[in-house]
Amino acid sequence: MDWRAKVELFEKMRREYEHGAGTIRGVARKFTVHRRMVRQALASAVPPERQRGERKCPRLGPVQAWIDAILEADRKAPRKQRHTAHRIWQRLQAERPECPVAESSVRRYVGRRKRALGWTARQTFVPQCYAWGQEAQADWYEAEAELGGERVRLQVFSLRSMASGGAFHRAYPRATQQAFLEAHELAFGRFGGVFRRLRYDNLKSAVKKILRGYQREETARFIAFRSHWGFAAEFCNPGEAQEKGGVEGEVGYFRRNHWVPVPRAGDLAELNEQLLAACHQDERRTIAGRAESVGVAMQAEQDHLLPLAPEGFDLAEMSFPLVDSAGCVKVRTNFYSVPVKAGTRVQAKVYAAEVEVWHEGVCVGRHERCYQRQQQVLDLEHYLEVLERKPGALAGSKPLEQWRAAGRWPASYDRFWEELRRRHGGQTGTRQMIALLKRGAQRGWKQLEEAVSQAVALNCWDVAAVEYMLAAPEPRRASEPMELGWLERYERPLPVMNEYDQLLGGEGTR
């Protein structure tokens, strides 16, 4: 029984006791409840909270000591190589199959134990979208392994594709520049090509000195290596690891699943073979929110990678932002709309008075530069393709609001749009208005405004009539009579013909 129903029942029982049966037994018999509930209702109009006892876990009991032993052993393991609840549940299935326990029960128990041990730190990462072969992120991390029976601390290179999710891991005794460059070559061989851009921390192997902003004085050898393979490099701000959250998440996932428990190998070469096998094993997994597995995505991405043969490129003063889900690119501190699919990497050129956005050698957007901060500069023309699929978003859209403020949306548009919705319904009428706006983007906005104004003056509420006026050599004025000949070029349903007949002075028939 929900809370509201129980409150109403208490009220009925209290009234029955006062004005009806007058006894607890009589009230309980009438409402078929226990006398205990009648006493509760007489004591208070608000039902008491339900007392929940501690839930017993009979299946978890036999393995609690086993789980506690794992968590106790994790005290001596590196902080980032300790067991997660999911990893403990996996080991429980493999090593204790006679004790079937649900993963949720293991999670609750491990959560209570870790809170008691003080291991409650968590990190949150924001998912991103990337084009095929556009970006990969690289980083070093520490891990421990038993090589030849001896526990050693290693430096592991990790490179992750941001589009496919494929990764490459290789361990070295030290994170030297030679190891850094060698790991790149091995990673390029594994992916079958070179990524267009790689994102790093300010690694000493690549960065000699951190200058102001995003500028870096790079090491000469890294510059030569980058030029040889033809990729671009970007570096995060100092201490801002979330700027390369893709590889940070990959490192955490790989640690939890392949560095726990601490791996054992005869030597470093054997360990690297195990790491490579683990990378191939991860190709079978499917990242949340994606339809295909990592391996399938890597095959699709390979065609979009740069060839392994070296090829130089020119550096220029420009930015390459990613189109976000709002159809905007961030240039300096502001957001500008572009008619490009979300997740596409475009080129932004900043001038003193305007901002141009280029994609595949074509200027796809031009805006007046905004010198404020965190502002959205939107053009309704850039959203017509999306609005055609989502017509309900037009009425309250911010691009429409900015067009109204700029005087680009005259009152005649609202009058024509309102009549289209009244005659054809909200969805269909709005779609027709959007189609008319797309025609204006082709023919010219001034011509569209004149044609719509003429149609409104003539009380003509048909999109085809406006399109005809746009196609005419010169837009007709409202004072000029409309000829009947142009109607014969279109086949219209009978009700529409009647509207035209009435417009031309005829009586019309139905």
Side-chain angles (χ1 to χ4, degrees):
M1 183 182 298
D2 61 10
W3 179 259
R4 179 184 177 87
K6 198 169 185 179
V7 171
E8 293 177 349
L9 178 60
F10 270 40
E11 180 185 22
K12 294 178 181 178
M13 290 191 294
R14 290 167 64 89
R15 289 182 180 276
E16 180 66 21
Y17 183 82
E18 292 291 337
H19 308 288
T23 63
I24 294 177
R25 183 184 297 273
V27 174
R29 183 182 298 110
K30 180 175 181 179
F31 292 99
T32 64
V33 298
H34 198 276
R35 294 188 298 273
R36 186 189 311 108
M37 181 177 289
V38 179
R39 295 188 183 96
Q40 292 176 351
L42 297 178
S44 174
V46 179
E49 294 184 1
R50 182 178 179 182
Q51 297 181 356
R52 299 181 180 272
E54 185 177 355
R55 187 175 180 181
K56 297 182 180 180
C57 301
R59 293 190 176 183
L60 187 63
V63 296
Q64 285 184 357
W66 184 79
I67 297 176
D68 291 341
I70 292 177
L71 297 177
E72 188 63 29
D74 278 352
R75 288 180 176 272
K76 301 179 182 180
R79 183 177 63 86
K80 295 184 178 181
Q81 289 182 249
R82 295 170 179 171
H83 286 75
T84 62
H86 179 69
R87 181 58 177 159
I88 292 177
W89 178 73
Q90 287 181 328
R91 290 189 59 185
L92 184 63
Q93 285 187 315
E95 301 176 22
R96 300 291 298 272
E98 73 279 2
C99 299
V101 182
E103 184 178 359
S104 58
S105 300
V106 176
R107 287 185 179 275
R108 285 193 296 268
Y109 181 75
V110 173
R112 291 195 300 268
R113 293 296 301 147
K114 285 192 173 184
R115 285 192 293 271
L117 296 173
W119 302 346
T120 57
R122 298 183 64 184
Q123 294 182 352
T124 302
F125 300 93
V126 180
Q128 302 288 309
C129 297
Y130 298 87
W132 292 121
Q134 188 67 35
E135 178 175 324
Q137 298 178 359
D139 197 12
W140 288 99
Y141 65 95
E142 290 186 350
E144 293 186 0
E146 289 188 10
L147 300 180
E150 182 181 359
R151 179 73 64 88
V152 295
R153 179 171 295 180
L154 301 170
Q155 300 294 321
V156 187
F157 175 86
S158 176
L159 187 143
R160 181 183 189 268
S161 166
M162 299 306 298
S164 65
F168 174 79
H169 295 255
R170 187 171 181 84
Y172 290 92
R174 296 290 185 272
T176 62
Q177 189 180 62
Q178 293 76 20
F180 180 68
L181 301 181
E182 178 187 280
H184 274 77
E185 292 188 353
L186 294 174
F188 295 156
R190 163 167 161 73
F191 286 97
V194 182
F195 295 91
R196 288 169 173 78
R197 182 178 62 257
L198 294 177
R199 188 180 296 272
Y200 307 89
D201 274 334
N202 297 284
L203 306 171
K204 293 183 179 180
S205 300
V207 177
K208 186 177 181 181
K209 185 178 180 181
I210 300 176
L211 304 178
R212 178 177 296 181
Y214 288 93
Q215 298 179 353
R216 302 290 186 270
E217 182 180 347
E218 301 171 29
T219 62
R221 191 173 185 188
F222 178 74
I223 293 175
F225 182 83
R226 183 185 66 193
S227 177
H228 174 80
W229 287 101
F231 65 87
E234 291 188 359
F235 301 92
C236 301
N237 286 317
E240 299 293 338
Q242 72 274 7
E243 294 184 4
K244 55 177 184 59
V247 71
E248 294 287 342
E250 168 62 26
V251 169
Y253 176 85
F254 200 86
R255 266 204 190 102
R256 294 188 296 270
N257 290 272
H258 304 295
W259 287 95
V260 178
V262 176
R264 299 178 181 179
D267 54 12
L268 188 61
E270 181 181 349
L271 176 64
N272 283 322
E273 291 179 1
Q274 296 179 12
L275 297 181
L276 185 60
C279 293
H280 288 295
Q281 178 182 345
D282 286 345
E283 294 179 11
R284 297 195 295 267
R285 74 186 182 104
T286 302
I287 298 176
R290 302 188 183 183
E292 67 279 350
S293 65
V294 173
V296 174
M298 289 178 63
Q299 294 179 359
E301 186 179 41
Q302 189 171 357
D303 296 333
H304 300 268
L305 296 174
L306 297 175
L308 293 176
E311 184 178 0
F313 60 93
D314 295 330
L315 297 177
E317 186 179 357
M318 58 187 65
S319 62
F320 294 88
L322 193 70
V323 181
D324 60 18
S325 59
C328 296
V329 294
K330 186 175 183 180
V331 180
R332 296 186 181 267
T333 62
N334 296 302
F335 298 85
Y336 299 87
S337 65
V338 290
V340 182
K341 184 179 179 181
T344 305
R345 185 70 61 176
V346 296
Q347 182 186 37
K349 300 180 180 180
V350 182
Y351 299 95
E354 61 183 15
V355 175
E356 292 183 356
V357 183
W358 292 71
H359 178 56
E360 296 181 351
V362 179
C363 183
V364 295
R366 183 180 288 109
H367 296 274
E368 182 181 355
R369 182 177 173 181
C370 179
Y371 283 92
Q372 301 180 23
R373 297 178 61 85
Q374 304 300 324
Q375 299 297 312
Q376 285 184 323
V377 183
L378 309 176
D379 189 349
L380 181 62
E381 184 178 348
H382 295 164
Y383 294 91
L384 294 180
E385 294 290 340
V386 178
L387 289 172
E388 198 169 27
R389 300 190 303 269
K390 304 177 180 179
L394 176 60
S397 63
K398 194 171 183 179
L400 177 58
E401 179 186 3
Q402 293 190 5
W403 262 34
R404 293 183 189 276
R408 299 187 61 183
W409 187 272
S412 59
Y413 284 11
D414 283 325
R415 181 72 183 91
F416 194 82
W417 183 19
E418 179 183 359
E419 193 64 25
L420 287 178
R421 288 185 294 181
R422 187 183 70 82
R423 290 168 174 258
H424 304 285
Q427 295 282 335
T428 304
T430 302
R431 280 197 173 93
Q432 292 186 11
M433 187 64 189
I434 295 170
L436 197 61
L437 293 175
K438 293 178 67 175
R439 183 72 67 177
Q442 300 170 358
R443 297 284 185 175
W445 295 107
K446 183 178 179 181
Q447 289 79 1
L448 177 63
E449 183 177 349
E450 292 177 356
V452 173
S453 299
Q454 181 182 358
V456 172
L458 295 171
N459 290 328
C460 177
W461 314 111
D462 191 88
V463 174
V466 180
E467 290 181 350
Y468 169 76
M469 296 182 218
L470 286 173
E474 294 183 2
R476 301 177 182 273
R477 296 186 177 90
S479 59
E480 296 179 355
M482 206 178 256
E483 297 180 2
L484 184 61
W486 70 276
L487 291 173
E488 300 174 355
R489 304 174 190 174
Y490 297 89
E491 294 182 2
R492 294 283 178 261
L494 192 57
V496 177
M497 293 296 294
N498 285 324
E499 292 177 5
Y500 291 150
D501 292 340
Q502 295 173 8
L503 180 65
L504 297 173
E507 296 180 355
T509 58
R510 294 188 180 272

